[in-house]
Amino acid sequence: MLRQVCCSGFHPFRQRLLPWLQSTAFSRSRATDRVQPSAIRHVRSWSNIPFITVPLSRTHGKSFAHRSELKHAKRIVVKLGSAVVTRGDECGLALGRLASIVEQVSVLQNQGREMMLVTSGAVAFGKQRLRHEILLSQSVRQALHSGQNQLKEMAIPVLEARACAAAGQSGLMALYEAMFTQYSICAAQILVTNLDFHDEQKRRNLNGTLHELLRMNIVPIVNTNDAVVPPAEPNSDLQGVISVKDNDSLAARLAVEMKTDLLIVLSDVEGLFDSPPGSDDAKLIDIFYPGDQQSVTFGTKSRVGMGGMEAKVKAALWALQGGTSVVIANGTHPKVSGHVITDIVEGKKVGTFFSEVKPAGPTVEQQGEMARSGGRMLATLEPEQRAEIIHHLADLLTDQREEILLANKKDLEEAEGRLAAPLLKRLSLSTSKLNSLAIGLRQIAASSQDSVGRVLRRTRIAKNLELEQVTVPIGVLLVIFESRPDCLPQVAALAIASGNGLLLKGGKEATHSNRILHLLAQEALSIHGVKEAIQLVNTREEVEDLCRLDKMIDLIIPRGSSQLVRDIQKAAKGIPVMGHSEGICHMYVDSEASVDKVTRLVRDSKCEYPAACNALETLLIHRDLLRTPLFDQIIDMLRVEQVKIHAGPKFASYLTFSPSEVKSLRTEYGDLELCIEVVDSVQEAIDHIHKYGSSHTDVIVTENEKTAEFFLQHVDSACVFWNASTRFSDGYRFGLGAEVGISTSRIHARGPVGLEGLLTTKWLLRGQDHVVSDFSEHGSLKYLHENLPVPQRNTN
């Protein structure tokens, strides 16, 4: 066994690399800002890149059971396959990709983890150098013999792999050394062969060397000594140029020998598929369990390398059996390679995770498929059958209220002291809430009679060729909600009425309440055999991972804090998000407002339920009302209701002793707090709302009809009211039965989104052997485009 330590020292190759490395390769830093503040011990910075050290400790034994536990990994091996390290032309190294990998490894190393690399690349690097030397030698000889400046076309002989490895080892290590030096990290090279693992003394030597390097905070870089390995087998990749046949097993063996917590295997595919990648039915396997090999069909190997996915799976299962968790992922994709390693360690859904612990229930992918098929069956039911399901669910809410309230009591007891008062209020259920829910569900049942399949437009295109536009479900909805168990039956009823499949992800603070409410929803669905249409996600899926299931989910609806909505809008990739990130609702009190109405409207809008998204947050008062009895009544009422007042800049300028000046005019308090600001006119109030509002709900209080209509027409919000509380912005109060949320979007649905907002349309064309060529200039048919009567909607 050959061991070579290459730490910081002068090297001509490194000296040539440094200007390039400093200028281009290390301008990115992305993983460190994902570490939670509570885990931060201290921050160190090198080359303007911060690194965060987190306290890590774990006794090696069993592998991690869930992805979310990977963030606790202390000792990590990263295996870089040939396709990751080499360029697309298979001659030379992918320098940009390697720089990104080194950056991620450095970030994790500086967090206090112990990182090791198993790398290929010596043969490719040596091939590049030897080709250059051969070309240079040939050009000199040809120039001497021909005496001409123009050289003949030169043929490059096939290069022997072991010679390439010998020529490339030093350069490869110098490259790694130069890259790691940018992060003040020392790297050490260890070359091994298979024989080193068969000799007990050599194994002990290797183990001792690696432990000593890790103790000194050095990153060991391990690779096979391709300069002395046996020749590659016939028909191997690249005609024997790159010999990495044992790298997968080497990484697994090293991980187990060193009692590593995590082995990350990077290749040129996203992970393990249930059939060869690229085939029509190939699906990425999120979690792979021992014994699942029979359900997988392995395809061909990557463009380079001696292994293949089958070899990786065998090595991964061997490491898993030895107590090391394994993830196989893509290290070549330009959109993910820059953060693939840190994403895996953070527990994100990247690649295929190998686990020995099978979940008790279905995976979220399986739940998505069940919701899809169940939703399609639901959409084919008769309207009366869907209404019957909703009526049954409404009856269950009242019949089973004792069991529901008992489960809710458990949630409240567990949340006591952990949740703020507004969130506790949202979490709480009561008999009156359940009764109101039941009434709302029956309204939905009544309005769902002709929702799906309703004809919106009929057109006669030509004789015996008629076109219809009809309503259909959107597909599969993902609804994510916090601290609101009453949201579950509301959303379930709307999904049933609209024929949509539904995935529900509730907050853990409402676990007991959500579980029993979901069971009741499935019991109601069972009366017509569509139980699987509504699924409750109980696995440890992170919200961000759910938002990536773009092939299973058609619409995401967040119900919760503004931060939750913003996070989901940011995380959703290719899936529309319906909702609002903030509920900054305004009320403008005009100079012609009624004294009797103002205090009632302000009290109801702010104090009736301050945690709601439609609660009043900013009160705009006309300047002429300052120092009037009306203004005094408003302030006195707010004082009695214990509302904390924040003064806007203009309001503060009118007062000698003002309340605390507002930090931002764009604030959703969600509590008994209110911003008051002064405006000079209705136009200034509108301008303020457009600048600082969230397009949710805004109100004018005035007796002047002309002023009111001007406000109603010019305020660009989802809901605009005249002499009415902001709290009316609600699906139940609008007569929609319930809502899945309030949308401030300008596409598809806006305001409280009820049944209509969960439908889209499709076109049905009925003809008799019609072809487009018949309608050409010399064809026999002409377009008619006649509007036909539409069947009347049932409003009973």
Side-chain angles (χ1 to χ4, degrees):
M1 178 177 65
L2 173 65
R3 288 173 299 193
Q4 175 186 1
V5 176
C6 300
C7 297
S8 55
F10 179 80
H11 193 289
F13 184 73
R14 173 189 162 212
Q15 188 180 40
R16 293 197 302 271
L17 274 174
L18 279 176
W20 170 78
L21 292 168
Q22 291 170 337
S23 62
T24 62
F26 302 101
S27 60
R28 300 178 303 276
S29 65
R30 57 200 308 165
T32 53
D33 55 4
R34 294 191 180 95
V35 180
Q36 297 299 318
S38 60
I40 296 175
R41 184 185 300 162
H42 62 277
V43 176
R44 296 180 283 178
S45 295
W46 293 280
S47 304
N48 299 320
I49 298 180
F51 298 106
I52 300 174
T53 303
V54 297
L56 297 163
S57 62
R58 178 177 182 256
T59 303
H60 185 81
K62 276 187 162 289
S63 59
F64 294 118
H66 305 283
R67 282 184 186 268
S68 59
E69 298 172 348
L70 295 180
K71 58 179 172 286
H72 301 300
K74 167 75 172 177
R75 184 171 292 172
I76 302 171
V77 170
V78 178
K79 186 262 179 178
L80 307 179
S82 301
V84 177
V85 176
T86 59
R87 293 196 319 229
D89 61 4
E90 302 167 5
C91 182
L93 304 180
L95 295 178
R97 195 182 301 145
L98 275 180
S100 176
I101 289 170
V102 167
E103 180 182 24
Q104 295 173 75
V105 170
S106 301
V107 165
L108 296 172
Q109 180 79 6
N110 283 307
Q111 287 178 356
R113 305 180 200 269
E114 297 174 345
M115 304 298 296
M116 292 180 278
L117 282 182
V118 175
T119 179
S120 306
V123 175
F125 200 8
K127 181 180 179 182
Q128 183 184 36
R129 297 181 68 182
L130 291 181
R131 285 187 61 176
H132 178 75
E133 293 297 326
I134 292 171
L135 286 172
L136 182 62
S137 175
Q138 287 183 349
S139 64
V140 170
R141 286 199 302 269
Q142 285 194 21
L144 290 174
H145 285 87
S146 65
Q148 300 174 357
N149 293 329
Q150 293 184 348
L151 303 178
K152 298 177 182 178
E153 184 176 344
M154 294 175 287
I156 304 295
V158 175
L159 299 175
E160 206 272 332
R162 285 173 291 182
C164 292
Q169 288 288 2
S170 60
L172 177 65
M173 191 59 209
L175 177 65
Y176 275 120
E177 176 197 354
M179 290 180 172
F180 276 112
T181 299
Q182 306 304 306
Y183 303 93
S184 295
I185 291 177
C186 188
Q189 183 185 37
I190 299 180
L191 298 174
V192 298
T193 65
N194 285 338
L195 297 177
D196 296 321
F197 289 98
H198 298 312
D199 186 288
E200 185 63 30
Q201 183 60 47
K202 289 183 177 181
R203 282 178 57 194
R204 285 199 296 267
N205 291 344
L206 173 62
N207 192 289
T209 300
L210 288 168
H211 275 94
E212 183 64 14
L213 292 174
L214 293 176
R215 187 187 67 80
M216 294 188 293
N217 200 33
I218 295 173
V219 175
I221 300 177
V222 186
N223 51 3
T224 55
N225 191 357
D226 290 332
V228 298
V229 296
E233 295 179 0
N235 301 320
S236 59
D237 292 334
L238 295 184
Q239 300 177 333
V241 171
I242 295 182
S243 176
V244 292
K245 186 176 182 65
D246 298 316
N247 260 15
D248 294 314
S249 57
L250 167 62
R253 185 67 178 267
L254 182 69
V256 174
E257 289 279 347
M258 293 298 294
K259 297 182 179 179
T260 300
D261 299 319
L262 173 61
L263 168 61
I264 300 174
V265 180
L266 297 183
S267 183
D268 58 350
V269 292
E270 280 69 20
L272 183 60
F273 289 78
D274 58 0
S275 56
S279 59
D280 291 339
D281 298 326
K283 293 181 181 178
L284 179 66
I285 299 173
D286 173 41
I287 305 177
F288 188 82
Y289 306 99
D292 285 355
Q293 297 96 311
Q294 294 79 9
S295 63
V296 176
T297 304
F298 294 101
T300 58
K301 299 189 293 290
S302 64
R303 59 175 176 84
V304 291
M306 301 297 293
M309 189 53 71
E310 188 170 7
K312 289 176 175 57
V313 171
K314 288 180 179 178
L317 291 173
W318 191 87
L320 188 67
Q321 188 178 10
T324 296
S325 297
V326 184
V327 175
I328 297 178
N330 191 336
T332 63
H333 196 290
K335 290 186 178 180
V336 299
S337 60
H339 47 86
V340 59
I341 299 173
T342 50
D343 280 354
I344 289 170
V345 175
E346 289 170 10
K348 294 184 179 178
K349 236 179 183 181
V350 179
T352 299
F353 172 61
F354 286 71
S355 175
E356 294 182 297
V357 181
K358 281 200 171 188
T363 65
V364 69
E365 289 82 5
Q366 291 169 332
Q367 286 186 297
E369 291 174 356
M370 288 189 288
R372 174 78 69 187
S373 59
R376 285 172 176 163
M377 292 176 61
L378 184 63
T380 62
L381 296 179
E382 294 296 324
E384 294 78 11
Q385 292 175 306
R386 289 193 293 270
E388 185 181 356
I389 294 172
I390 299 171
H391 276 296
H392 189 44
L393 177 56
D395 293 338
L396 288 171
L397 290 178
T398 53
D399 295 344
Q400 304 291 329
R401 63 176 174 271
E402 290 184 7
E403 289 81 355
I404 297 171
L405 295 177
L406 183 61
N408 185 244
K409 183 181 178 182
K410 290 182 183 178
D411 288 327
L412 290 169
E413 289 172 349
E414 293 175 5
E416 191 68 40
R418 295 191 300 109
L419 292 182
L423 292 179
L424 279 174
K425 189 172 182 181
R426 288 188 179 189
L427 178 60
S428 175
L429 292 175
S430 63
T431 300
S432 62
K433 266 191 180 182
L434 294 176
N435 289 336
S436 295
L437 278 173
I439 294 171
L441 264 57
R442 293 186 179 98
Q443 287 181 347
I444 294 172
S447 63
S448 67
Q449 291 297 317
D450 63 346
S451 56
V452 180
R454 177 162 50 91
V455 179
L456 302 178
R457 178 186 302 177
R458 292 179 65 222
T459 304
R460 179 176 289 118
I461 304 297
K463 184 179 179 181
N464 296 325
L465 183 63
E466 293 187 1
L467 178 69
E468 284 184 350
Q469 184 185 19
V470 299
T471 57
V472 293
I474 289 175
V476 175
L477 314 176
L478 168 62
V479 178
I480 303 169
F481 55 100
E482 296 176 321
S483 305
R484 287 281 302 272
D486 56 325
C487 173
L488 194 153
Q490 290 179 338
V491 173
L494 288 169
I496 295 167
S498 56
N500 284 291
L502 180 61
L503 282 175
L504 293 160
K505 175 66 173 176
K508 59 184 179 182
E509 65 278 355
T511 298
H512 302 293
S513 305
N514 289 338
R515 184 181 295 120
I516 188 169
L517 291 170
H518 174 248
L519 289 173
L520 295 179
Q522 290 202 317
E523 182 179 336
L525 288 163
S526 297
I527 64 176
H528 287 297
V530 287
K531 176 182 177 180
E532 295 182 343
I534 296 179
Q535 298 288 325
L536 180 64
V537 179
N538 285 317
T539 59
R540 297 190 180 193
E541 301 294 327
E542 296 292 337
V543 168
E544 186 173 344
D545 292 329
L546 290 172
C547 293
R548 294 178 180 177
L549 301 176
D550 57 320
K551 294 181 180 178
M552 298 181 180
I553 297 167
D554 300 297
L555 179 66
I556 301 175
I557 304 172
R559 295 286 303 270
S561 66
S562 57
Q563 187 60 50
L564 170 73
V565 178
R566 282 193 296 269
D567 289 345
I568 291 171
Q569 289 173 335
K570 183 179 178 181
K573 305 296 182 183
I575 309 176
V577 178
M578 180 186 291
H580 63 281
S581 59
E582 293 174 307
I584 305 175
C585 302
H586 292 74
M587 179 178 289
Y588 165 57
V589 182
D590 185 54
S591 59
E592 299 181 63
S594 165
V595 175
D596 297 331
K597 294 177 183 177
V598 170
T599 52
R600 276 173 48 83
L601 293 173
V602 173
R603 180 189 290 110
D604 188 78
S605 297
K606 178 72 256 185
C607 307
E608 197 266 343
Y609 190 7
C613 67
N614 57 10
L616 177 64
E617 303 293 3
T618 299
L619 181 65
L620 301 175
I621 297 180
H622 194 283
R623 183 185 58 181
D624 293 346
L625 295 178
L626 292 178
R627 300 184 179 90
T628 65
L630 173 58
F631 178 77
D632 293 339
Q633 286 183 27
I634 295 173
I635 298 301
D636 290 342
M637 181 274 296
L638 293 173
R639 186 179 294 113
V640 170
E641 297 291 342
Q642 298 182 330
V643 177
K644 182 178 180 181
I645 297 174
H646 301 277
K650 201 168 180 181
F651 179 43
S653 67
Y654 283 98
L655 304 174
T656 306
F657 300 101
S658 69
S660 61
E661 188 166 340
V662 68
K663 294 180 180 179
S664 171
L665 290 168
R666 193 180 286 112
T667 302
E668 182 180 13
Y669 298 103
D671 206 346
L672 287 174
E673 299 183 55
L674 180 68
C675 170
I676 297 180
E677 182 59 308
V678 175
V679 293
D680 292 338
S681 65
V682 64
Q683 184 60 58
E684 188 176 338
I686 294 170
D687 293 341
H688 180 103
I689 290 169
H690 288 164
K691 185 174 182 179
Y692 299 109
S694 60
S695 302
H696 191 294
T697 301
D698 300 293
V699 175
I700 182 172
V701 184
T702 184
E703 296 303 301
N704 189 314
E705 183 177 354
K706 185 177 179 181
T707 303
E709 289 299 328
F710 182 84
F711 184 91
L712 294 174
Q713 297 302 320
H714 286 79
V715 171
D716 188 14
S717 296
C719 300
V720 188
F721 302 160
W722 172 23
N723 288 348
S725 168
T726 59
R727 297 278 291 121
F728 277 104
S729 182
D730 175 83
Y732 173 74
R733 297 180 182 114
F734 276 16
L736 305 178
E739 65 186 31
V740 292
I742 296 178
S743 172
T744 55
S745 172
R746 299 174 187 277
I747 299 176
H748 182 65
R750 201 173 185 206
V753 180
L755 180 57
E756 297 289 334
L758 300 181
L759 297 171
T760 185
T761 63
K762 71 176 181 182
W763 297 88
L764 305 177
L765 184 63
R766 297 178 175 90
Q768 294 181 2
D769 193 31
H770 287 82
V771 293
V772 171
S773 58
D774 288 341
F775 295 85
S776 63
E777 184 178 354
H778 303 291
S780 58
L781 296 176
K782 300 294 181 183
Y783 289 112
L784 299 177
H785 292 151
E786 297 176 358
N787 291 328
L788 299 175
V790 174
Q792 291 299 309
R793 183 177 183 181
N794 179 14
T795 58
N796 293 330

